[in-house]
């Protein structure tokens, strides 16, 4: 089996569960550390010729991470492309099982551990948060997102969960007046930090969280409840 992954979280999931099947991954696929595969460009600009040259049996993609024209080009070259669709935690678990079955592997232990960890989560109280994912321009979590579902399970309601768009652009002045109790700042896709982000929301508590634990679906899901809850305070 030869697999190329265009999604960092799926790269980690497959590398951990099916050692040896990955032959290619994007430049952004940083986990697991030391992964020795051919790099085929970014998630938004993969090199189709480089992917085809690897002769994969399967290419793994995601509706948000990857662009449809790139996937269409790979299909036109005769490659089998599996596209994941993840909008909530149950969907992530289902898609991970589908991906690993397609790679010829049985259900891994870490997936059982992840489901058990999230099943044990009981939010103590609910807060409302603004959750930026980009700056210049400001973009936030909107409706129907995986990260928003994880936060809700931890007792943090997304202030823009009813927005018409999934990742709306909202002026920072409007974000400050959204009636939130908290601003949640992940370190990806934009790398918010203590020096870059909290200052835009004076007087509002800021929680700096791991983007990998908030937005990735893979082995990180097993420890995500503990890591995110600690960061959210």
């Amino acid at each position: 089996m030869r697999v190329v992954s265009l999604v960092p979280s799926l790269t980690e999931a497959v590398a951990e569960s099916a050692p040896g099947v990955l032959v290619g991954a994007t430049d952004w696929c940083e986990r697991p550390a030391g992964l020795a595969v051919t790099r085929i460009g970014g998630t938004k600009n993969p090199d189709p010729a480089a992917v085809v040259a690897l002769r994969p049996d399967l290419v793994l993609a995601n509706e948000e991470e990857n662009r449809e024209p790139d996937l269409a080009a790979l299909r036109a070259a005769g490659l089998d492309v599996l596209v994941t669709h993840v909008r909530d935690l149950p969907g992530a678990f289902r898609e991970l099982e589908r991906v690993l079955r397609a790679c010829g592997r049985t259900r891994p232990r870490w997936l059982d551990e992840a489901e058990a960890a999230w099943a044990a989560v009981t939010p103590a109280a609910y807060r409302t948060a603004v959750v930026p994912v980009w700056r210049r321009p400001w973009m936030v979590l909107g409706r129907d997102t995986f990260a928003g579902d994880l936060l809700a399970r931890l007792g943090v309601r997304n202030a823009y969960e009813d927005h018409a768009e999934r990742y709306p652009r909202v002026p920072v002045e409007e974000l400050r007046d959204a009636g939130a109790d908290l601003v949640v700042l992940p370190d990806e896709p934009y790398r918010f930090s203590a020096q870059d982000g909290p200052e835009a929301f004076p007087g509002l508590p800021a929680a700096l969280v791991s983007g990998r634990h908030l937005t990735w679906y893979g082995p990180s899901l097993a420890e995500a409840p503990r890591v995110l809850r600690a960061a959210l305070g």
Side-chain angles (χ1 to χ4, degrees), residues 81-173:
V81 181
L82 186 160
V83 182
T84 56
H85 302 266
V86 176
R87 302 293 179 91
D88 56 24
L89 184 62
F93 290 143
R94 288 193 300 271
E95 291 290 66
L96 283 166
E97 281 206 79
R98 184 165 74 102
V99 164
L100 295 174
R101 282 199 306 270
C103 292
R105 293 303 189 269
T106 57
R107 183 182 173 91
R109 180 177 178 181
W110 61 258
L111 192 50
D112 291 330
E113 293 172 347
E115 288 196 337
W118 280 100
V121 169
T122 303
Y126 282 91
R127 293 171 287 172
T128 299
V130 169
V131 192
V133 293
W134 201 257
R135 185 170 187 169
R136 304 181 192 95
W138 287 93
M139 297 176 65
V140 298
L141 292 185
R143 64 171 182 83
D144 197 23
T145 66
F146 172 67
D149 184 56
L150 293 195
L151 288 173
R153 293 169 186 272
L154 294 169
V156 178
R157 174 187 169 272
N158 173 18
Y160 288 87
E161 66 180 5
D162 296 323
H163 197 282
E165 299 177 27
R166 299 185 64 227
Y167 298 98
R169 297 185 181 189
V170 184
V172 70
E173 296 79 12

Side-chain angles (χ1 to χ4, degrees), residues 169-184:
R169 297 185 181 189
V170 184
V172 70
E173 296 79 12
E174 186 176 322
L175 297 179
R176 293 174 186 145
D177 295 331
D181 309 304
L182 177 72
V183 57
V184 176

